[in-house]
Amino acid sequence: MDRSEDSGTVSRLEGLLNLDLKPYTDKIIAEYIWIGGTGIDVRSKSRTISRPVEDPSELPKWNYDGSSTGQAPGEDSEVILYPQAIFRDPFRGGNNILVICDAYTPSGEPIPTNKRCKAAQIFSNQKVIDEVPWFGIEQEYTLLQRDVKWPLGWPVGGYPGPQGPYYCAAGADKSFGRDISDAHYKACLYAGINISGTNGEVMPGQWEYQVGPSVGIEAGDHIWCSRYLLERITEQAGVVLTLDPKPIEGDWNGAGCHTNYSTKSMREEGGFEVIKKAILNLSLRHRDHISAYGEGNERRLTGKHETADINTFSWGVANRGCSIRVGRDTEKQGKGYLEDRRPASNMDPYVVTSLLAETTILWEPTLEAEALAAQKMQLKV
């Protein structure tokens, strides 16, 4: 079935899909969303709630078959969903909601793929709360033709012209998938996701949107909900979404999830010194971060295509070939934020955001390690 046939099916069901339930019932539909066994797939199922709700605490917990998602054995397959964040549902409208959940065993232990639980613990630490960590996350993604799994707009089995004309471009020969990007943008705004922008990326068929600034655990909730919306929109459009960090090998840009980060101390006068101290800490835990920054990231972080080599930590002002980039405005004003350019497009935002907070706020290196790192990085702290 091609995209036109998909559209025809939707149009025939449009009257039922757009039914307004409010005049007839107070009941709403809640779509419970969780992360599946791969750590990157999103799953969901629907249930009827007796009345509109405003807070996750008003919603019941719910179980699912973890053996069907790779998260539990068949002989003990029950996994429990805990509602954690609510968004408006742009597909059903009305008072219907999307519910971001995390997953636990029946005894109340977080399952291994539940990364939100540990992140919430880090963000509830008083030291972290006092620093009010802000995150701005740049989610890149690639659109593929459904039946051939080749980028949208590319000749099947062939290649378009070299990169250069496609970034932030307009035109039928340069921009592929704008309708999907725009639909996703509006759906995010409707849902209450803190989306702040979008643009076409360097590789044709690749796009980016930005979420933030978001505080603490909210950053992960908003990214996961935005990814769910994107999966649903591409499903309706008959296009495949991939978050693979290097979907096409060769001289083509990969897909990242650059994470902009600041604390209260970084945003205040003298903040640049705090940023430099954070960079020192990040340099000392480079391997810990890389191991948690996305599957297949070694195919993307090669030192080419606006990336730093995966094995080497570096930082620089306005340098997109570094691990950590500091903006010119931050340098000029002496305060601001840093950009971690290492995370892959398929990273878990709960892991990346909480690890950044842990490394820069809670973790303290030895004085000797700090001095050696400062000398190596040419940083005076």
Side-chain angles (χ1 to χ4, degrees):
M1 182 183 292
D2 61 23
R3 290 181 69 181
S4 62
E5 288 174 316
D6 281 343
S7 299
T9 301
V10 171
S11 66
R12 289 192 294 273
L13 297 175
E14 194 169 358
L16 292 173
L17 291 170
N18 292 333
L19 283 176
D20 183 5
L21 302 179
K22 283 192 290 185
Y24 309 103
T25 179
D26 289 331
K27 295 178 180 179
I28 65 166
I29 302 171
E31 191 75 20
Y32 279 46
I33 301 164
W34 71 96
I35 301 161
T38 67
I40 191 64
D41 57 317
V42 284
R43 308 289 182 121
S44 74
K45 59 177 183 171
S46 312
R47 72 177 295 166
T48 303
I49 305 296
S50 61
R51 59 177 176 79
V53 298
E54 295 183 359
D55 191 88
S57 62
E58 302 175 65
L59 292 165
K61 296 173 184 175
W62 200 12
N63 68 77
Y64 70 92
D65 172 17
S67 68
S68 295
T69 61
Q71 294 172 295
E75 65 272 14
D76 187 16
S77 65
E78 192 167 284
V79 181
I80 313 300
L81 294 171
Y82 287 31
Q84 299 291 1
I86 290 176
F87 297 87
R88 291 182 291 274
D89 186 341
F91 304 107
R92 295 186 174 114
N95 290 322
N96 302 301
I97 55 175
L98 306 175
V99 185
I100 296 295
C101 305
D102 57 356
Y104 297 79
T105 66
S107 63
E109 295 296 318
I111 66 172
T113 50
N114 178 357
K115 306 302 183 184
R116 190 187 192 280
C117 183
K118 181 181 177 182
Q121 292 171 0
I122 291 172
F123 285 121
S124 64
N125 184 292
Q126 193 58 52
K127 279 187 174 181
V128 178
I129 292 172
D130 291 344
E131 282 292 349
V132 197
W134 287 3
F135 298 94
I137 299 177
E138 305 171 26
Q139 176 69 69
E140 295 179 347
Y141 61 93
T142 307
L143 300 173
L144 305 178
Q145 302 169 56
R146 183 175 58 186
D147 296 329
V148 294
K149 301 295 177 67
W150 199 239
L152 195 67
W154 290 35
V156 176
Y159 297 88
Q163 293 181 157
Y166 310 109
Y167 173 68
C168 296
D173 59 338
K174 295 179 287 292
S175 179
F176 313 114
R178 186 184 299 277
D179 54 343
I180 292 170
S181 174
D182 280 357
H184 179 251
Y185 199 161
K186 287 189 174 181
C188 285
L189 288 171
Y190 180 96
I193 292 167
N194 192 20
I195 187 169
S196 50
T198 187
N199 59 269
E201 262 305 328
V202 177
M203 190 182 87
Q206 195 175 84
W207 292 81
E208 176 190 296
Y209 62 92
Q210 303 89 34
V211 172
S214 305
V215 179
I217 197 72
E218 178 186 275
D221 290 338
H222 282 232
I223 284 291
W224 275 115
C225 191
S226 72
R227 286 176 174 179
Y228 175 79
L229 294 181
L230 191 54
E231 288 279 14
R232 288 283 304 276
I233 289 166
T234 51
E235 170 192 324
Q236 291 183 7
V239 171
V240 173
L241 167 68
T242 179
L243 297 182
D244 189 294
K246 187 71 172 178
I248 303 296
E249 296 299 325
D251 196 20
W252 303 96
N253 272 33
C257 206
H258 304 152
T259 302
N260 300 281
Y261 168 65
S262 70
T263 62
K264 184 173 181 286
S265 298
M266 293 178 188
R267 298 187 293 269
E268 293 176 342
E269 293 302 319
F272 196 28
E273 294 305 309
V274 182
I275 290 172
K276 289 193 287 185
K277 173 62 167 65
I279 292 171
L280 273 181
N281 283 17
L282 290 168
S283 73
L284 290 167
R285 298 190 81 191
H286 179 61
R287 289 185 180 180
D288 295 331
H289 282 253
I290 286 296
S291 67
Y293 273 16
E295 192 73 26
N297 207 14
E298 72 282 352
R299 294 183 284 113
R300 167 181 162 262
L301 294 181
T302 62
K304 300 177 181 179
H305 305 108
E306 299 179 291
T307 72
D309 180 81
I310 194 168
N311 297 309
T312 306
F313 182 89
S314 58
W315 82 283
V317 176
N319 186 344
R320 283 178 165 77
C322 285
S323 308
I324 303 294
R325 182 184 71 89
V326 175
R328 288 285 181 206
D329 284 346
T330 295
E331 180 187 45
K332 182 178 179 181
Q333 296 174 14
K335 58 183 178 179
Y337 68 96
L338 62 84
E339 178 192 24
D340 191 340
R341 297 181 59 80
R342 297 171 295 174
S345 50
N346 59 3
M347 62 82 150
D348 187 324
Y350 294 134
V351 173
V352 170
T353 57
S354 61
L355 190 53
L356 279 168
E358 181 184 56
T359 295
T360 61
I361 300 172
L362 301 179
W363 184 75
E364 284 294 339
T366 65
L367 291 175
E368 182 181 13
E370 185 178 84
L372 288 172
Q375 185 178 18
K376 182 179 179 181
M377 303 299 297
Q378 297 183 345
L379 281 169
K380 294 181 180 179
V381 178

